[in-house]
């Protein structure tokens, strides 16, 4: 008798589990049939965009016992160029460059990728500075770092963020910054936006932590790549062409800590675009809480999802410098399609 009851209970549990699976599978199928769904972002991310080597920020003189010396004077190396290797060793960090110069004697073999894309090799004689170190007379950095906002993660773990391209003001680099990592971060403070001066979110980037994604493309409407972190947001459907309307909406963004919140805005202009561009929407912040905290839209909020009638209609891209309560947005459908474009990193590796 007890054996029959055990078998009966097992059968009931099995039927319940199968029913639950069927319901969940049905919901997933219905969701896919109704449109494209993504996991909503809105949380801040640290961004570290890299090149193939060390990024040249400036070419400077080396102060020696005999006066100023410019070791790179005849190479044409300038800011925005990339130092690829020294004596055949690929350059990955500033410390490594210093050590290689210290360990070398006489001329060194330097490989450089110029902004034109042309790779050249030069024999360069480092200068001996006043502290007796061998130097090339160049200021370099390993990456372009900053913060932005995650827009969404696709069902197969591709991420879209920022809403506009990464541009480095120091080196002038932009389109070539197609690799790097993204990290978890928290908002530590806010510099309020004012008329004529854009504010910004304050956060730190710790590259010693485990990255949550790999940047694989840097486009005019955001950065994209593989997502390796924990899924955080709820599923939301990406709006189709014509579904965004002028009127009330919300942005989902983080201005303190790491947890996003909804803030009221109004969409006051919609540009019906055929191709991906940054300025497809014009929005106005109406939420007094956000205005009191940030003044409106500030740097670091780029990529914040724009939600209207339960749909992901866009992402914040820029602020009006003359009015921090107004800004631009990109249509979410373009970001969604771009997230599935061929992987630029894989294309470069195969070339």
């Amino acid at each position: 008798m007890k054996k029959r009851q055990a078998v009966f209970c097992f059968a009931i549990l099995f039927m319940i589990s199968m029913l639950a699976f069927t319901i969940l599978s049905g919901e997933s199928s219905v969701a896919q049939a109704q449109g494209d769904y993504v996991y909503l972002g809105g949380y801040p991310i640290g961004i570290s965009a890299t090149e193939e080597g060390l990024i040249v920020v400036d070419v400077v003189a080396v102060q020696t016992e005999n006066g100023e010396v410019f070791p790179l004077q005849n190479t044409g190396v300038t800011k925005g160029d990339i130092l690829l290797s020294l004596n055949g060793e690929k350059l990955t960090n500033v410390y490594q460059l210093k050590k290689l110069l210290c360990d070398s004697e006489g001329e060194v073999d330097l490989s450089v990728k110029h902004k034109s894309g042309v790779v050249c090799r030069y024999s360069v004689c480092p200068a001996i500075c006043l502290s007796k170190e061998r130097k090339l007379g160049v200021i370099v950095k390993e990456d372009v770092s900053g913060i932005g906002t995650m827009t969404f993660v696709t069902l197969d773990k591709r991420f879209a963020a920022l809403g506009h391209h990464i541009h480095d003001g120091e080196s002038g680099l932009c389109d070539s910054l197609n690799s790097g990592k993204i990290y978890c971060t928290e908002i530590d403070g806010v510099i309020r936006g004012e008329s004529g001066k854009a504010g910004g979110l304050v956060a730190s980037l710790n590259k010693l932590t485990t990255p949550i994604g790999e940047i694989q493309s840097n486009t005019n409407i955001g950065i994209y790549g593989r997502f390796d972190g924990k899924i955080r947001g709820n599923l939301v459907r990406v709006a189709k062409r014509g579904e965004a309307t002028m009127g009330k909406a919300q942005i989902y963004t983080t201005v303190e800590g790491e947890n996003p919140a909804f803030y009221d805005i109004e969409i006051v202009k919609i540009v019906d675009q055929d191709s991906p561009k940054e300025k497809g929407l014009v929005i106005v912040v109406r939420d007094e809480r956000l205005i009191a905290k940030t003044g409106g839209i500030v740097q670091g909020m780029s990529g914040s999802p724009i939600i209207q009638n339960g749909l992901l209609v866009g992402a914040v891209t820029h602020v009006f410098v003359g009015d921090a309560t107004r800004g631009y947005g990109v249509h979410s459908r373009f970001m969604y399609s771009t997230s599935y474009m061929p992987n630029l990193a894989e294309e470069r590796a195969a070339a």
Side-chain angles (χ1 to χ4, degrees):
M1 184 68 178
K2 290 183 178 180
K3 185 176 181 180
R4 289 182 190 175
Q5 289 177 338
V7 171
F8 179 76
C9 290
F10 176 80
I12 293 296
L13 289 172
F14 178 78
M15 291 175 63
I16 291 173
S17 64
M18 289 301 296
L19 178 61
F21 175 80
T22 302
I23 292 173
L24 290 173
S25 300
E27 288 179 347
S28 176
S29 300
V30 170
Q32 293 179 7
Q34 290 177 341
D36 298 313
Y37 280 71
V38 294
Y39 295 103
L40 194 61
Y43 47 90
I45 55 172
I47 300 168
S48 172
T50 56
E51 252 282 0
E52 298 175 68
L54 299 180
I55 301 168
V56 176
V57 175
D58 202 1
V59 177
V60 297
V62 179
Q63 301 296 330
T64 73
E65 293 179 347
N66 299 317
E68 292 185 343
V69 177
F70 292 86
L72 298 178
Q73 186 171 15
N74 298 321
T75 64
V77 173
T78 186
K79 72 175 183 178
D81 290 346
I82 309 298
L83 304 189
L84 298 175
S85 66
L86 187 78
N87 289 341
E89 185 167 337
K90 179 178 171 58
L91 294 172
T92 58
N93 62 75
V94 177
Y95 173 80
Q96 175 201 22
L97 174 62
K98 291 181 177 181
K99 188 175 187 306
L100 287 172
L101 288 171
C102 178
D103 295 343
S104 65
E105 295 181 359
E107 292 188 341
V108 296
D109 181 30
L110 183 66
S111 179
V112 179
K113 185 178 79 170
H114 293 285
K115 285 183 290 187
S116 62
V118 175
V119 176
C120 299
R121 292 177 60 183
Y122 302 101
S123 291
V124 180
C125 185
I128 309 298
C129 71
L130 296 176
S131 62
K132 306 304 180 182
E133 294 179 281
R134 287 164 58 84
K135 293 189 174 183
L136 292 178
V138 63
I139 299 175
V140 295
K141 62 181 181 180
E142 300 163 10
D143 66 357
V144 177
S145 302
I147 64 168
T149 301
M150 180 70 74
T151 306
F152 62 77
V153 176
T154 64
L155 297 181
D156 57 352
K157 303 199 76 172
R158 303 277 302 170
F159 77 83
L162 209 57
H164 58 70
H165 59 218
I166 299 171
H167 177 265
D168 181 28
E170 288 187 314
S171 66
L173 290 178
C174 179
D175 295 338
S176 62
L177 296 168
N178 281 306
S179 59
K181 306 290 184 181
I182 60 171
Y183 299 82
C184 288
T185 190
E186 295 184 11
I187 304 302
D188 299 320
V190 176
I191 301 173
R192 294 186 81 258
E194 301 175 358
S195 178
K197 183 179 179 181
L201 301 177
V202 179
S204 58
L205 169 57
N206 184 358
K207 289 181 284 187
L208 296 178
T209 60
T210 302
I212 60 171
E214 179 183 348
I215 300 171
Q216 295 173 327
S217 60
N218 172 29
T219 78
N220 69 317
I221 61 167
I223 58 173
Y224 303 85
R226 188 186 71 242
F227 186 74
D228 302 317
K230 180 182 178 181
I231 297 295
R232 294 177 53 179
N234 294 325
L235 280 175
V236 61
R237 183 167 69 82
V238 179
K240 300 176 182 178
R241 186 172 187 171
E243 287 191 309
T245 60
M246 288 192 291
K248 293 181 180 180
Q250 292 180 309
I251 58 172
Y252 193 52
T253 193
T254 305
V255 295
E256 186 175 0
E258 59 179 350
N259 296 316
F262 287 101
Y263 297 96
D264 294 333
I265 64 167
E266 183 179 355
I267 299 175
V268 296
K269 183 178 180 180
I270 299 174
V271 182
D272 187 19
Q273 298 168 325
D274 294 317
S275 58
K277 295 177 183 178
E278 301 170 351
K279 300 176 180 180
L281 304 169
V282 177
I283 63 174
V284 179
V285 176
R286 301 299 189 194
D287 200 300
E288 293 299 328
R289 297 171 301 156
L290 187 60
I291 294 174
K293 182 76 174 179
T294 67
I297 299 168
V298 295
Q299 294 176 353
M301 287 171 60
S302 296
S304 298
I306 301 174
I307 305 296
Q308 186 181 57
N309 299 323
L311 301 178
L312 176 62
V313 299
V316 176
T317 58
H318 296 85
V319 60
F320 283 32
V321 177
D323 183 357
T325 65
R326 301 172 69 88
Y328 291 106
V330 58
H331 289 291
S332 58
R333 69 179 189 277
F334 290 136
M335 292 188 74
Y336 183 74
S337 60
T338 303
S339 68
Y340 283 101
M341 288 177 65
N343 183 339
L344 297 183
E346 292 177 356
E347 287 185 354
R348 287 198 302 271

